[in-house]
Amino acid sequence: MSQFKKSSYVAPFCRQAWKLPAALLVLLFLGTLAWGWHLVRDHASMLGLNAATSEAAKVGPVEAIGVAFKSLFNAPPVGQPSVVEGGGEQAVEPIRAALVNIAGLTKAPAGGVSTYVTAGSGVVVNPKGYVVTAMHLIQDLAEIQVRVQTPLGPRQYPAKMVKVIAEHDLALLKLVSQDAFPYLAIDPKAALRIGDPVKAWGDPLGTDAIQRLGSIASVDLTQPVVVRDLRLTHLIRTDAVFNWAQSGGPLINDQERLVGINLALQDAQSGRIIGYAIPAHLLVTHFQELINFAQAPQTPNANKLATAVAQPVAAQAAVAEGSGRAPRPADRWWQQVQGFLLAGLGKHVAATPTADPVPAVVPVNDPSHAPTIQIFGYSLGSFIGLLLLGFVSGVSGGMMTMGGGIIKVTGLMWFFGYGLLLVRPVAYITNIFMYGAAALRYQREGLLRFDLCKPLIPWAMSGMVLGYFIGNVMSKTAIQWLLGLFALMLGIKMLVEISDSRARQRVAAELLDEEEESTSRGRERGLLAWLQRYFGSWADEDEVKKTASVGQGGQQTIVRHGLLGLPMGIISGILGITGGVIEVPLQRYIARMPMRNAIANSATLVFFSSLVGSAVALFHGAQTGSFELHTPIVMAIILTPGAFLGGLAGAWFTSVVPLNTLRWIYAVMMFVIAIRMFWT
């Protein structure tokens, strides 16, 4: 026993050999502090500290770190020098601070894997992290990453697509962050003159930048230029663009104002790069409802571009220049290597124009994209378009009680170019009003079985939250295929209901009594009979009595409630649609509900799940910096009146238009949506 006690004895901590490990930890800590102090001193210019030559103006390492972190969250507009404690202006080129690199993971081919690529450049146009770039750069990216220059060096942010304008090859991205970013102001002039000096910027690798001085060669509104499968007009021709990395980057004038988004296109015959730019006034026309563009006058700097030299600008060289010492040999060697790399990376050039556009001889005036009347920040055309979209989706819901969600979601993506970042919260909010009113109507008609819906509501809410977060990590392609699949299912459902209606007409024509009718239907076999049973419109009133058994029993009841509520919530959360195409068959197959009762119960579950979905989506999106809180709310406010009026019109159409005619129209719409989603 004594030997056992002796062998199991453990010495107290204070008597153990702790001094050597503690000494090593202290040395490592001191070494880390020393290394950080060295980095702050060596890269003072990059951090915006500008160590002065006089001893009194030098900034200590502790103050330097504090100033650097403070500058991360208080970014000034580009064009205004940043003054830090200790005096001096920020050494980093202001335009360089707003220039970003667009990269990310490509969409995996069938049986293949995704690869990480650098696609091109972009420019920050709003301090809340909105980035404009060329749409064709992000078309093949499943995940978008944006590399931004910060006072502490390059930093990579995930980005979400907010809106695309395919007709002008424009894309608006939002950095998923609440940080403040330096940004470029837009020149309010819509007309540009031939010969005006401009400079085109690009960021090929996320660390260094290239720039070139040039001029505007022509401005043509009608001559089309092919970029992949796009035929673009309203382009600026400029010789300032000479490299693939400048695509998506800013074209600036002599006032350091943004006048265009670069496009580097490769001639099919000569292989040389032909430079174009998308005029900046198009950004205001198409993105004004989402962000505010800075257009305040800046201090004139007319001769700045005239004295500039077309050359690569390396971040290390900028640091060396700001510190007042000559560039190190390693910096010069890296610049030379970078030149060879840039020359060999022309594979990212996007298009092959076959002919030069006809030069313009007068200043351009673009009345088709001139500012118009704004309502809630939207142009008059966009405002009316959203009202019409809400009306059409409401008509669909009023006629067929489901499917309006798919029309609304695909319409926002298809016609307006909005990304799922905004589409899903907007869909959740509008579903609250549309299906809340529908649930009240069904309750007055005696179709709603709320006693059976009540235990399903927590499952539907949980599914909605789960689906929302699943949708955040799913690729746009996968969500498009799911939308296409559900549109296809709704189209098939309409065809089944048409067949079902004709079958009932034949039964009525033969004047069968109830027993013969039941026997006749009992003999039906095959896929069509199964589809008619669970997707058709015949109401099995005798099966209402069977629903009394739902809600009784132990574990089986919980499982059944989960099967009835969870799938609909998940689908609604992922896609933003109502999920009725899933819930109605579940109500009929598991709960044994007649068709009209199944539709009423489905609308009630959609209402409650949309309540929690809206709250979660708005809170999460605003907290993570994915979007501004007012953006989806305003869009939903515009859609809701049209959807309400459309619901009334849809109910009226069912009383004046043959139901099968409406079903055929609806089926065609669903098949068109499915083909579009699959084809895209």
Side-chain angles (χ1 to χ4, degrees):
M1 179 66 69
S2 61
Q3 293 179 354
F4 176 76
K5 291 183 178 179
K6 185 177 182 179
S7 61
S8 61
Y9 174 75
V10 179
F13 175 76
C14 59
R15 296 183 182 179
Q16 296 182 14
W18 58 272
K19 296 182 180 180
L20 181 60
L24 291 176
L25 288 175
V26 171
L27 289 176
L28 290 174
F29 175 73
L30 294 176
T32 303
L33 289 180
W35 178 246
W37 178 77
H38 164 71
L39 289 178
V40 170
R41 291 192 60 186
D42 192 49
H43 299 278
S45 296
M46 183 187 301
L47 296 173
L49 304 176
N50 289 327
T53 56
S54 63
E55 294 296 331
K58 288 185 178 180
V59 181
V62 177
E63 294 83 357
I65 295 175
V67 172
F69 273 99
K70 186 185 297 183
S71 63
L72 278 175
F73 301 99
N74 296 277
V78 170
Q80 299 180 7
S82 174
V83 180
V84 300
E85 299 175 4
E89 295 181 356
Q90 187 173 357
V92 178
E93 173 70 39
I95 298 173
R96 178 68 184 99
L99 174 68
V100 300
N101 171 261
I102 307 296
L105 291 174
T106 60
K107 299 176 183 178
V113 295
S114 299
T115 57
Y116 190 87
V117 298
T118 292
S121 303
V123 58
V124 183
V125 294
N126 184 277
K128 295 183 179 180
Y130 287 95
V131 174
V132 174
T133 186
M135 186 194 72
H136 74 268
L137 298 180
I138 64 171
Q139 279 183 316
D140 297 330
L141 297 181
E143 296 181 10
I144 304 173
Q145 299 289 334
V146 177
R147 297 166 180 169
V148 183
Q149 295 297 317
T150 72
L152 297 180
R155 182 178 177 184
Q156 186 164 281
Y157 292 87
K160 298 291 186 179
M161 192 269 288
V162 179
K163 187 177 181 180
V164 296
I165 304 297
E167 60 180 306
H168 295 299
D169 195 25
L170 286 173
L172 179 66
L173 309 178
K174 175 66 173 68
L175 304 182
V176 183
S177 171
Q178 290 185 323
D179 294 349
F181 298 89
Y183 60 96
L184 278 182
I186 291 181
D187 195 323
K189 298 182 300 182
L192 298 172
R193 296 172 298 179
I194 307 303
D196 283 350
V198 290
K199 184 186 288 186
W201 286 73
D203 186 349
L205 302 174
T207 55
D208 302 334
I210 57 174
Q211 58 174 314
R212 185 176 186 177
L213 175 66
S215 62
I216 295 177
S218 66
V219 182
D220 199 322
L221 301 180
T222 58
Q223 182 71 24
V225 175
V226 178
V227 177
R228 291 193 175 181
D229 55 346
L230 305 173
R231 293 176 62 85
L232 304 181
T233 57
H234 300 74
L235 294 180
I236 302 170
R237 172 74 182 278
T238 176
D239 57 356
V241 178
F242 73 102
N243 188 279
W244 68 268
Q246 293 171 301
S247 284
L251 184 73
I252 64 169
N253 62 5
D254 55 0
Q255 305 295 318
E256 293 190 345
R257 309 292 290 277
L258 181 67
V259 296
I261 301 298
N262 302 326
L263 292 176
L265 312 182
Q266 189 176 38
D267 184 73
Q269 300 177 355
S270 64
R272 66 186 179 92
I273 297 296
I274 301 178
Y276 293 89
I278 307 164
H281 71 274
L282 295 178
L283 308 184
V284 180
T285 300
H286 294 290
F287 300 142
Q288 62 184 351
E289 77 273 18
L290 299 171
I291 59 175
N292 294 321
F293 292 94
Q295 299 184 27
Q298 293 180 331
T299 303
N301 196 6
N303 296 324
K304 185 166 185 177
L305 291 186
T307 59
V309 180
Q311 59 181 357
V313 180
Q316 297 91 337
V319 172
E321 181 181 357
S323 60
R325 59 179 173 82
R328 293 172 290 190
D331 297 331
R332 295 176 179 174
W333 175 83
W334 174 247
Q335 292 182 40
Q336 294 177 358
V337 173
Q338 181 194 16
F340 289 109
L341 288 174
L342 294 179
L345 289 177
K347 60 183 180 181
H348 295 285
V349 176
T352 55
T354 57
D356 293 344
V358 179
V361 295
V362 295
V364 61
N365 184 20
D366 188 5
S368 62
H369 296 92
T372 60
I373 300 174
Q374 294 187 20
I375 305 175
F376 296 113
Y378 290 79
S379 65
L380 183 61
S382 297
F383 183 82
I384 295 176
L386 288 175
L387 285 177
L388 289 177
L389 177 61
F391 182 80
V392 173
S393 64
V395 169
S396 173
M399 291 190 308
M400 302 300 166
T401 68
M402 64 179 66
I406 287 185
I407 293 178
K408 177 173 52 186
V409 169
T410 56
L412 289 172
M413 296 172 59
W414 189 354
F415 294 107
F416 294 90
Y418 293 116
L420 287 168
L421 175 76
L422 290 177
V423 168
R424 292 193 301 156
V426 170
Y428 300 158
I429 297 172
T430 54
N431 286 342
I432 293 176
F433 298 97
M434 292 176 59
Y435 288 90
L440 291 176
R441 184 175 70 249
Y442 291 136
Q443 185 180 28
R444 289 195 300 267
E445 295 175 358
L447 298 174
L448 175 61
R449 299 294 303 273
F450 189 75
D451 56 328
L452 301 178
C453 290
K454 187 175 180 179
L456 309 183
I457 292 174
W459 289 97
M461 289 182 170
S462 302
M464 171 67 81
V465 175
L466 179 61
Y468 169 74
F469 288 103
I470 292 176
N472 284 343
V473 299
M474 289 182 63
S475 66
K476 179 183 177 182
T477 302
I479 292 179
Q480 283 184 336
W481 275 74
L482 282 177
L483 284 171
L485 177 62
F486 281 99
L488 182 63
M489 291 176 62
L490 284 173
I492 294 175
K493 172 180 169 55
M494 291 300 104
L495 296 183
V496 171
E497 289 191 1
I498 293 172
S499 176
D500 195 359
S501 174
R502 292 177 177 176
R504 284 189 295 172
Q505 292 176 1
R506 289 196 303 269
V507 170
E510 295 173 1
L511 300 178
L512 296 176
D513 57 22
E514 294 183 1
E515 181 179 356
E516 291 174 338
E517 179 181 339
S518 176
T519 304
S520 173
R521 293 178 56 193
R523 289 195 298 265
E524 293 180 354
R525 297 290 185 272
L527 177 62
L528 181 60
W530 186 88
L531 291 174
Q532 288 176 346
R533 181 179 181 184
Y534 297 111
F535 287 90
S537 57
W538 269 355
D540 301 326
E541 300 297 339
D542 294 338
E543 295 185 353
V544 176
K545 300 177 182 179
K546 300 180 182 179
T547 60
S549 61
V550 179
Q552 301 176 1
Q555 187 67 25
Q556 183 182 6
T557 300
I558 297 177
V559 173
R560 181 171 294 188
H561 291 166
L563 290 176
L564 285 171
L566 194 63
M568 186 277 295
I570 293 176
I571 294 300
S572 298
I574 293 176
L575 303 179
I577 64 177
T578 60
V581 69
I582 291 292
E583 182 61 25
V584 172
L586 288 177
Q587 289 276 331
R588 288 177 60 78
Y589 182 75
I590 297 178
R592 313 301 295 175
M593 282 283 156
M595 175 61 72
R596 300 185 68 188
N597 297 92
I599 293 173
N601 294 347
S602 175
T604 304
L605 294 179
V606 170
F607 167 73
F608 283 100
S609 61
S610 296
L611 284 174
V612 68
S614 301
V616 171
L618 293 177
F619 177 80
H620 179 263
Q623 287 296 312
T624 58
S626 298
F627 53 77
E628 298 178 68
L629 187 62
H630 71 275
T631 304
I633 294 177
V634 172
M635 196 180 303
I637 290 174
I638 298 174
L639 283 168
T640 300
F644 178 77
L645 295 176
L648 297 178
W652 177 75
F653 283 147
T654 57
S655 62
V656 297
V657 180
L659 188 56
N660 278 349
T661 301
L662 297 177
R663 287 168 174 162
W664 274 112
I665 296 174
Y666 187 82
V668 171
M669 292 175 59
M670 291 297 104
F671 288 134
V672 169
I673 291 175
I675 293 172
R676 175 61 184 247
M677 292 295 105
F678 292 145
W679 183 263
T680 303

